[in-house]
Amino acid sequence: MKNKYHENLATPYWLLDEKKLKKNLSLISDIREKSSAKILLALKGYALWKSFPLLQDALNGCCASGLHEAKLAHETFGQEVHTYSPAFKEEELEEIASISHHLVFNSPAQFKRFAAKAKAFNPLLSIGLRVNPEYSEAPKEIYNPCGLNSRLGTTLLNFDESILDACDGLHFHALCEQSSDALENVLKHFEEKFGKYIPQMKWINFGGGHHITREGYDVEKLIRLIKEFKAKYNVEVYLEPGEAIGWETGTLVTSVLDIVHNGMDIAILDSSAEAHMPDTIIMPYRAEVEGAGKVGEKAHTYRLAGNTCLAGDIMGDYSFDTPLTIGDKVVFEDQMHYTMVKATTFNGIKLPSIVVKKEDGSVEVLREFGYEDFRDRLS
Ligand SMILES: *Cc1c(COP(=O)(O)O)cnc(C)c1O
C-alpha cells in the first residue's frame, strides 16, 4: 500500500477518482436517454461542487433540501433546481423560490401557506407535494421515510384535495440503496393510493435511493418501469439519486499514528469514524479497507479506530497480510457519498483534504482544511 499513494500528500484526504465518476455518469446518461426520465443529483449525498463540470452533461440539475443546497445548486451546477424541505421558513421563501424550478412542499398546510406566495416571487415555479406511499423496503428504520409516525410526506389520510388546482406534481421518496424491484413495489402502493390524482399532474418525482450504479442493479427494469409509467399517465418522470452518483468513486486515505494493545491490537488513525465517516456508526456499515480482510482472515488483525476521545470512534476490525507499522496508509473504499457532506470538526480533528485523481493519472489537491475551519464554526 505504501507506494501506491502519493507519499507527499498529507493524510487524511478524500481521493475522488474521475475515471470512476465518469463511468457512473455514463450509465446515468444512458438511462436518461433510454427512459426519457429527467435525473437530478441529490446534494444531500454528494456535493463536491468542484467536480460538477464533469456531472453537468449527464444530469438535468440538482435536488436541494433547503436554502443552502438550493444556492449551491444555482451557483455551481445550473440547470434545474428542485427544492424540497420538510418545512420551509417564511423568511427564506423568496430566495428559494427565485432560484428554484420546482418547489415541493411536505404538507398541505405548508402548501396552502406558501404556494401562492412562492409563485408570486417566481411565476415560472412548478409546485408539488411530497406524498408518503406508506410502503418501503428500506433496510433500517433511520432510513425509512415511510416508517411509523414518519414526518416525511403526506399520507393519503392527510391529503387535502383543495391544493390540487395549484399542484403540478407529486413526489415520493421511499427507497434507500435499493433495487428496481423495490421501486416496482413502491410504485404499486403509490399508484394504489394516489393514482387518481396522477392524470392531472405534469410530473411525478420518484425520489432517490435507486442504487443504479451498484453491480447487479437491474437497469433495464428501471428503464421499463419509467417508460411504462410515462406512457400510462403522460407525465414527466424525475429521479434524484445521490449515493448512486458517488458510489465507489473514491477513497478516504488515512495514516497509522500509533498501535496500542488491550486484549487485541488497535491502530489509531489520523481520521475519525465519528467525524469523517459517520454512517459507519449510524447505519452502521463496515467500509471495505484496501488489502484487508475480515477478522482472522489474514495473519494480522487490528481494530481500526479514530483519533478522538470518543470511545466508540471505531471503524471496525480488519486483518492484514503484514503487520501494520506507524506511518502506513490505511485506505477506506467507497467514501465519496455521505462523508464530506456530513463531516465535522468534532474534538478539533482536522477535516480530510479533498483531492482529485484526474483521468490522466495526475493528482490535484482541491481543498485543505486547518485550525481556522474548526475555529470559525464556533464562537
Ligand atoms: C436523501 C434523499 C435523496 C437521495 O437519496 P440517495 O439514497 O442518496 O439516492 C433524494 N431525495 C430525497 C427527498 C432525499 O431525502
Side-chain angles (χ1 to χ4, degrees):
M1 261 171 285
K2 270 192 172 146
N3 300 321
K4 215 177 138 189
Y5 284 87
H6 304 259
E7 291 298 321
N8 53 342
L9 285 179
T11 59
Y13 58 89
W14 280 295
L15 184 66
L16 169 69
D17 188 326
E18 264 191 22
K19 213 188 268 180
K20 291 181 178 169
L21 182 61
K22 284 192 175 170
K23 192 172 152 238
N24 284 355
L25 293 169
S26 87
L27 179 62
I28 302 268
S29 281
D30 200 44
I31 293 169
R32 216 165 53 128
E33 225 165 82
K34 289 186 179 148
S35 70
S36 309
K38 291 194 172 184
I39 306 186
L40 311 166
L41 164 68
L43 292 177
K44 187 178 89 212
Y46 180 93
L48 206 182
W49 50 269
K50 282 186 182 163
S51 70
F52 287 175
L54 297 172
L55 278 65
Q56 280 155 333
D57 285 346
L59 295 161
N60 294 88
C62 296
C63 81
S65 311
L67 177 61
H68 290 181
E69 285 187 353
K71 279 180 86 163
L72 189 72
H74 173 71
E75 287 174 10
T76 65
F77 204 103
Q79 307 189 64
E80 294 185 34
V81 179
H82 292 217
T83 311
Y84 155 81
S85 195
F88 289 103
K89 288 180 113 162
E90 179 142 34
E91 63 264 36
E92 293 178 351
L93 193 68
E94 179 171 6
E95 201 175 358
I96 290 174
S98 60
I99 58 176
S100 297
H101 299 77
H102 285 202
L103 198 63
V104 178
F105 293 103
N106 189 57
S107 71
Q110 281 243 318
F111 194 111
K112 288 199 273 194
R113 242 177 102 196
F114 291 141
K117 277 186 187 157
K119 275 281 230 205
F121 291 130
N122 177 3
L124 297 175
L125 199 58
S126 191
I127 308 265
L129 180 76
R130 175 168 175 174
V131 296
N132 177 352
E134 294 178 83
Y135 176 85
S136 170
E137 298 171 17
K140 291 272 156 50
E141 210 44 28
I142 188 180
Y143 296 111
N144 182 1
C146 306
L148 187 66
N149 308 128
S150 173
R151 71 189 180 293
L152 303 169
T154 299
T155 58
L156 186 59
L157 186 66
N158 290 305
F159 199 89
D160 178 343
E161 294 188 353
S162 73
I163 65 156
L164 281 169
D165 278 348
C167 188
D168 298 319
L170 296 175
H171 174 293
F172 66 81
H173 171 70
L175 302 177
C176 174
E177 298 192 336
Q178 276 166 313
S179 65
S180 36
D181 294 338
L183 172 63
E184 184 175 40
N185 295 337
V186 169
L187 272 175
K188 272 187 210 139
H189 288 258
F190 169 67
E191 289 187 65
E192 218 174 273
K193 292 195 161 70
F194 300 99
K196 57 190 165 197
Y197 305 130
I198 304 174
Q200 51 193 302
M201 297 296 151
K202 293 189 180 121
W203 50 264
I204 301 295
N205 188 321
F206 289 5
H210 315 273
H211 221 175
I212 295 166
T213 48
R214 171 179 239 157
E215 214 183 306
Y217 181 93
D218 189 346
V219 172
E220 294 312 315
K221 179 163 188 173
L222 173 67
I223 293 169
R224 181 169 60 72
L225 289 172
I226 296 167
K227 284 172 76 169
E228 284 173 4
F229 193 91
K230 281 175 73 86
K232 185 168 170 189
Y233 296 108
N234 191 29
V235 288
E236 198 80 74
V237 167
Y238 284 88
L239 306 182
E240 45 184 37
E243 175 158 358
I245 309 294
W247 179 250
E248 291 184 338
T249 59
T251 56
L252 174 63
V253 183
T254 70
S255 297
V256 176
L257 297 179
D258 195 15
I259 293 166
V260 297
H261 314 278
N262 184 7
M264 67 185 300
D265 296 329
I266 304 155
I268 300 175
L269 307 176
D270 61 354
S271 181
S272 164
E274 166 73 18
H276 302 157
M277 39 202 307
D279 283 357
T280 56
I281 295 176
I282 297 167
M283 189 135 182
Y285 82 98
R286 178 188 163 89
E288 290 300 318
V289 168
E290 220 175 85
K294 296 193 180 79
V295 172
E297 197 177 310
K298 295 175 182 256
H300 306 276
T301 291
Y302 294 85
R303 172 158 298 172
L304 301 179
N307 194 22
T308 72
C309 297
L310 174 73
D313 190 354
I314 292 164
M315 288 86 168
D317 297 348
Y318 298 84
S319 65
F320 297 84
D321 286 325
T322 54
L324 288 179
T325 55
I326 291 169
D328 275 358
K329 301 274 199 292
V330 171
V331 180
F332 294 92
E333 306 269 19
D334 194 21
Q335 293 300 310
M336 284 296 118
H337 51 86
Y338 292 103
T339 50
M340 54 192 99
V341 288
K342 285 187 140 191
T344 71
T345 57
F346 172 62
N347 219 182
I349 196 157
K350 191 169 98 84
L351 286 164
S353 307
I354 300 175
V355 182
V356 56
K357 186 167 148 210
K358 309 256 178 178
E359 258 186 313
D360 65 8
S362 67
V363 161
E364 186 189 346
V365 179
L366 300 177
R367 180 82 153 89
E368 287 175 293
F369 300 90
Y371 161 66
E372 294 74 18
D373 298 288
F374 169 57
R375 182 194 63 198
D376 293 347
R377 296 178 76 238
L378 302 163
S379 77

